[in-house]
Amino acid sequence: MSKLKSPREKFGVQTEKGKVVYCFRNGDKHQSDGISIVVHPTKLKTFDQFKTTLSEKVGLVTGPVLRVYSSSRKPIKSLEELDDGGSYLCCGAEKINEDYLPPGFKDAAAKDHQAKDHHHAVVDHVESDSSSSTSSSSTSAHPSSTNTSAYAAHTTSSASHTTAAAHISPEKKPVVTSYVHGVPEKFGTQTEKGKIVYCFRNGDKHQSDGVQMLIHPTKIKTFDQFKTQLSSKIALSTGAVQKVYSASHKLIKSLDELEDHGKYLCCGAEKIDEDHSPVGLRT
């Protein structure tokens, strides 16, 4: 007689598999690829640790990551709610910027929406077939019970409507501290949103992509600090950045003149080199 083989056991400790998620910056309309984050139970044990990691790697202009949303705009509050391979939007204290959603995040949201629509269509089709077959068999077996069931359903519906009307809760109003000019003020510190600008080197006609700069009022408070940051990141061949121009060659003199997602040309003491303008500044 042949002996039954017992199932094989693997050597070593079998660790739990982690998740890979793709995270996007709120308000960055140029971000097509999400930042890959590995969520493993031995390294990230709490949701706060996950948000701390996001704050370091995602780089929001408004500060640390405080809220995380799924592709369906559902707020995520625990590691268990994260799906392997899912796409998520990272925000600070600000709201979701629907006008400047990252392209990669919008594509993921569209795919998820199509998948859900297909799932609902399949479920509705199955339930429709099941209900029709059940109804036909019930009618043939008990033809006199149809009117009784309809009357009972009508009575139950009327009673439920009456109960619901009796328990309608009053409209909820937002919790506010005070009203200023008729507009409620919310509790907590409302942080100011930063700006993202793209900077180019004067005379570098081959530069197609501008150097991305994050300008947040808590980190860069003066225009001189901004030019110092530009000098270290732009690396002009003529020395430090002394003058900044818009794409239309308007001289910029303060942080207030900088526009979110605007393009700017950086110069030293020299004039603008019209013959060798960066290709990215012209497009």
Side-chain angles (χ1 to χ4, degrees), residues 25-31 73 89 91 94-103 105-106 193 260-261:
R25 284 183 293 272
N26 182 36
D28 189 351
K29 66 177 181 180
H30 299 286
Q31 187 182 11
R73 311 299 192 278
L89 187 67
C91 303
E94 76 283 359
K95 296 180 180 180
I96 295 177
N97 192 340
E98 296 288 351
D99 296 330
Y100 292 98
L101 283 177
F105 182 75
K106 289 196 291 186
K193 183 182 177 182
D260 191 23
H261 295 91

Side-chain angles (χ1 to χ4, degrees), residues 186-205:
K186 296 182 179 180
F187 285 108
T189 303
Q190 306 301 315
T191 58
E192 184 178 351
K193 183 182 177 182
K195 302 175 184 177
I196 299 177
V197 296
Y198 301 90
C199 303
F200 297 82
R201 287 182 292 272
N202 182 37
D204 188 354
K205 66 178 182 179

